[in-house]
Each structure stands twice: as C-alpha cells, then as structure tokens.
Amino acid sequence: MFNYKFQIMKKVFSLMLFVTSFICLTSCSNDEDEFYTPQEVDLTLDYTFAESGSMTRATGAILYNDFYDKYIKTKRLTPTTYSLKFTNKTTGAVTSIDGLWKNKDAVRLTEGEYEVVGTSTPLVHSRYVSDTVFISFDETIHITKDMTNINLTAKYDSYLLMLNNENYIDARHHCYVSPAHYYFNLYKTENSYTLFVNRISGTNNCLLLTRDDGASININLENIPFEKAKYYYFDDATSSFDIPKMESGN
C-alpha cells in the first residue's frame, strides 16, 4: 500500500516539475522576445535587374539580347551613383544614402523591415535621354543580424530605342527647350545604335538619322506610346518603331 502511494506521489511530483519547467521556459522565451533589442548591422549594397517578359519579343530580340548581355548585364552602361532612402516600417526612422556602386561602402542599419525607394541616374545625359539606363528602386526588405549584403531589385526607369547600324553613319536625338536646341548622339555598338529615354522633354523630340548615301531621316518620337522597361526596335523597312501588343493583366 505504501509502495502504491509512493508511486502516485512520484508521478504527481514529476508532472508538477514538467508543468513548472514548461511555464518557466515559455515565460523566459516571451521575456526574451519582449525585451530583445534590434542590433545594428553593417551591410554593402548591390542590385540585380528584375526579369521582364516584355524584353524578349521576337522583333529585334537577337539585337537586344546581344546588347543586354554585353552592356547591361555586365553593368557597362548602368549608372555609377545611387540615391536611396531606407524607412524603418516599425519606428519610422529614415536613413538617406548617396554613394557610388563601385565603392561598396558599408551601410549601418538596425535590424527590421524597411521600405526602400530611390534612383540611380546617369551623370551625363541631355534632357532625360542618355547612353546609360535610368533605374529606380521601390521594395520592402527585411534586415537580420546575420546579413552582410543587401541585393536590391532594380527597375527600369526608362525605355530603350534601338536600330541596326548597318545603313546609318550617324544617329542623334534632338529636342527644343526654349531658347535652345539640344542634341545627343546615340550610343554605337558593334551592331546597333541605342538610346535610353527617361521621359520626353520640351518639343520637337525626334531622331535624326543619316544614311550611308547621305540621305536624312527624321523620326518624330512625341506621338508614339512608349512605355518604360521596354525596348523598341526601329524597322528600317517600314521606317517606324515596332510597337508591341498590350499584355494581359495578372
């Protein structure tokens, strides 16, 4: 009888120990979460381009893909500077950062969730056209203490005009902003002339092309429904840019 009571008491005591330990562990865990102080993290910045189906249309695709691989993917024709703003979504604290991509400067931010917005713009451009792509940033990131690098997703903040350079010896962009005329030479690669356009500025926006035989072509750009993050190939046979069909919504 004594043995039986002893066994019962032993089980009750073990159960009480288990419950007490569970409560303690739970309480300690909650306390740790409640009083955890987010740590500061030193990070370097970089970016990659978002994938875009609109960049793989059939017409001009070979020319574009060759240009992308040689000049955009390798970041030969991408901006050297950036201007970014990090907003902590919990505290509202804002950190603004201007810098050079190549420097890999360390950025110190406290752990947490951030809204990141900003731009990376060519230093040399004329009235919002350039041989270098305009890009922007707008995303939410989560920073933890074990991170050493932030890899942002770049969005195209410009569209690309392309034409085959076989039949042309010169290609320039022109616009008029009172009281001056502005000209910008298109970038010439092995196979093409290219121009990135952030937006149309002023009036009389056009491409001035000179053919091998000396003939001049004037292409008005103001009434064509260009969209950012897309490329447009000039069809020499029709003397116009190919405009893609609209894509269906998600």
Side-chain angles (χ1 to χ4, degrees):
M1 185 70 177
F2 174 78
N3 238 352
Y4 176 74
K5 287 183 178 181
F6 178 76
Q7 290 298 327
I8 294 292
M9 290 176 65
K10 186 177 180 182
K11 288 180 180 181
V12 171
F13 181 71
S14 298
L15 181 60
M16 290 174 64
L17 278 178
F18 174 77
V19 172
T20 303
S21 299
F22 177 78
I23 292 173
C24 181
L25 286 172
T26 303
S27 175
C28 292
S29 176
N30 289 339
D31 287 345
E32 287 178 4
D33 291 340
E34 184 178 350
F35 295 107
Y36 177 75
T37 301
Q39 299 180 33
E40 288 190 332
V41 186
D42 289 327
L43 307 139
T44 57
L45 296 173
D46 202 354
Y47 67 92
T48 54
F49 285 96
E51 295 293 330
S52 175
S54 63
M55 290 294 186
T56 57
R57 292 179 287 108
T59 306
I62 294 177
L63 200 65
Y64 170 77
N65 288 336
D66 181 63
F67 175 77
Y68 176 82
D69 288 340
K70 290 182 180 179
Y71 296 97
I72 303 300
K73 190 175 182 179
T74 60
K75 298 183 179 179
R76 287 176 62 181
L77 293 181
T78 56
T80 58
T81 65
Y82 60 82
S83 179
L84 299 170
K85 183 173 73 173
F86 293 78
T87 303
N88 189 302
K89 298 186 74 172
T90 300
T91 66
V94 175
T95 302
S96 296
I97 304 168
D98 297 320
L100 294 170
W101 292 114
K102 68 176 182 179
N103 285 354
K104 301 294 182 183
D105 294 326
V107 177
R108 177 164 291 185
L109 295 168
T110 304
E111 290 179 276
E113 193 172 38
Y114 287 81
E115 179 186 60
V116 185
V117 296
T119 58
S120 187
T121 304
L123 293 177
V124 179
H125 62 83
S126 175
R127 310 309 303 184
Y128 306 104
V129 300
S130 178
D131 56 10
T132 301
V133 64
F134 296 74
I135 57 181
S136 63
F137 301 90
D138 186 0
E139 64 181 304
T140 297
I141 64 171
H142 191 78
I143 295 175
T144 59
K145 62 183 179 182
D146 57 335
M147 293 173 61
T148 58
N149 174 264
I150 302 173
N151 195 38
L152 300 173
T153 302
K155 297 181 178 181
Y156 292 99
D157 197 26
S158 53
Y159 52 85
L160 172 64
L161 304 182
M162 303 189 72
L163 61 147
N164 197 305
N165 66 19
E166 288 183 356
N167 301 318
Y168 303 95
I169 58 174
D170 187 62
R172 293 182 293 164
H173 173 267
H174 164 270
C175 73
Y176 176 74
V177 181
S178 181
H181 291 268
Y182 293 86
Y183 296 89
F184 191 87
N185 292 326
L186 272 67
Y187 188 83
K188 187 176 183 179
T189 71
E190 300 86 347
N191 304 309
S192 61
Y193 282 110
T194 62
L195 181 73
F196 289 100
V197 183
N198 173 256
R199 64 184 174 91
I200 292 295
S201 172
T203 59
N204 297 323
N205 277 268
C206 61
L207 294 185
L208 304 176
L209 309 180
T210 304
R211 296 182 64 90
D212 292 341
D213 59 8
S216 298
I217 299 176
N218 184 316
I219 306 169
N220 191 312
L221 302 176
E222 295 186 359
N223 297 317
I224 303 177
F226 297 122
E227 296 179 46
K228 290 181 179 180
K230 293 186 178 181
Y231 76 88
Y232 297 88
Y233 176 73
F234 180 75
D235 191 337
D236 194 48
T238 61
S239 295
S240 63
F241 282 97
D242 292 321
I243 304 298
K245 295 179 180 179
M246 295 185 73
E247 299 172 359
S248 60
N250 294 327

